[in-house]
């Protein structure tokens, strides 16, 4: 009987530790959005593991290591004025007690190079438990759209939805996703009419 209670307590302890880790990672994600918007540069630096990677799915951004990441932020901040990042859905999966992965969806309102822009975005994250707590090991940002507000109406009917740069780029999702492609191929292969 005592062994059953001990095992049950160990199970509760593991579940509690997992919940606390998830709460810590959610705070990390929230801190990132606030620190970027508020330009809290030193606080932002503290969110990354020393060998972290920060990049964009479109290949425009890629920085390895905290110093390179902060240099990249300086370049981004030079183009960005006031902004508001809002994170929505957060899905965290643990790979062990010191490593986890996350998928995060969000929106942003941004003043970029003198233009009011809106963006729908996702992050693909990897997290590492360091001596100072959970930190980003890798953060990859992808865009459903990133457009001037006047281009927003009807934007989802187009594929070149990343208008943040001089030359429009294709959206990072959903069209390139393997599941999206497979679904639409299967739909196209099915006979129509009943």
């Amino acid at each position: 009987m005592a062994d059953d209670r001990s095992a049950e307590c160990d199970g509760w302890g593991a579940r509690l530790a997992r919940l606390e880790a998830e709460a810590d990672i959610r705070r990390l994600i929230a801190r990132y959005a606030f620190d970027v918007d508020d330009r809290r540069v030193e606080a932002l630096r503290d969110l990354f593991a020393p060998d972290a990677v920060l990049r964009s799915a479109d290949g425009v951004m890629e920085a390895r290591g905290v110093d390179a990441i902060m240099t990249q932020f300086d370049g981004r901040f030079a183009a960005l004025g006031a902004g508001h990042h809002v994170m929505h859905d957060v899905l965290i999966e643990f790979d062990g007690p010191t490593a986890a992965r996350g998928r995060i969806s969000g929106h942003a309102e941004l003043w970029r190079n003198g233009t009011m822009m809106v963006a729908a975005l996702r992050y693909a994250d990897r997290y590492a438990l360091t001596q100072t707590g959970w930190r980003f090991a890798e953060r990859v940002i992808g865009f459903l759209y990133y457009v001037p507000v006047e281009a927003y109406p009807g934007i989802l009917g187009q594929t070149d939805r990343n208008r943040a740069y001089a030359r429009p780029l294709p959206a990072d999702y959903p069209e390139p996703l393997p599941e999206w492609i497979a679904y639409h191929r299967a739909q196209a292969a099915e006979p129509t009419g009943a």
Side-chain angles (χ1 to χ4, degrees):
M1 184 72 168
D3 287 338
D4 288 345
R5 283 195 183 130
S6 178
E8 187 176 326
C9 287
D10 287 346
W12 289 342
R15 286 193 299 266
L16 180 59
R18 180 65 52 96
L19 289 171
E20 288 176 340
E22 185 169 336
D24 289 345
I25 292 170
R26 287 177 178 274
R27 279 192 294 276
L28 178 73
I29 294 163
R31 285 177 55 201
Y32 178 92
F34 285 118
D35 291 347
V36 165
D37 289 344
D38 297 346
R39 301 301 191 268
R40 298 185 65 222
V41 177
E42 286 309 309
L44 192 57
R45 172 185 281 280
D46 186 49
L47 302 181
F48 293 91
D51 58 348
V53 174
L54 178 64
R55 62 186 180 89
S56 59
D58 61 18
V60 173
M61 297 186 326
E62 174 132 7
R64 295 179 181 278
V66 176
D67 290 339
I69 288 170
M70 298 315 295
T71 298
Q72 184 170 268
F73 273 121
D74 286 340
R76 304 309 281 177
F77 292 159
L80 297 173
H84 181 65
H85 289 77
V86 180
M87 298 303 100
H88 302 302
D89 297 318
V90 176
L91 178 63
I92 298 168
E93 297 180 23
F94 287 87
D95 296 324
T98 62
R101 290 170 283 120
R103 292 180 62 201
I104 294 85
S105 66
H107 280 87
E109 301 169 5
L110 305 153
W111 186 256
R112 180 182 174 82
N113 293 324
T115 301
M116 181 65 198
M117 302 189 81
V118 291
L121 50 95
R122 287 184 183 172
Y123 290 102
D125 291 339
R126 285 188 312 106
Y127 314 102
L129 182 58
T130 70
Q131 292 180 341
T132 55
W134 286 95
R135 297 294 182 260
F136 292 109
E138 181 178 41
R139 184 148 244 225
V140 181
I141 188 171
F143 295 102
L144 174 65
Y145 59 81
Y146 192 154
V147 296
V149 291
E150 62 271 9
Y152 177 75
I155 195 63
L156 293 179
Q158 302 172 39
T159 57
D160 63 341
R161 297 187 300 265
N162 186 342
R163 311 273 175 86
Y165 312 108
R167 183 180 56 83
L169 297 173
D172 297 314
Y173 67 92
E175 294 90 348
L177 299 177
E179 298 86 356
W180 178 275
I181 293 167
Y183 173 82
H184 286 282
R185 281 188 183 150
Q187 292 301 309
E190 287 185 19
T192 58

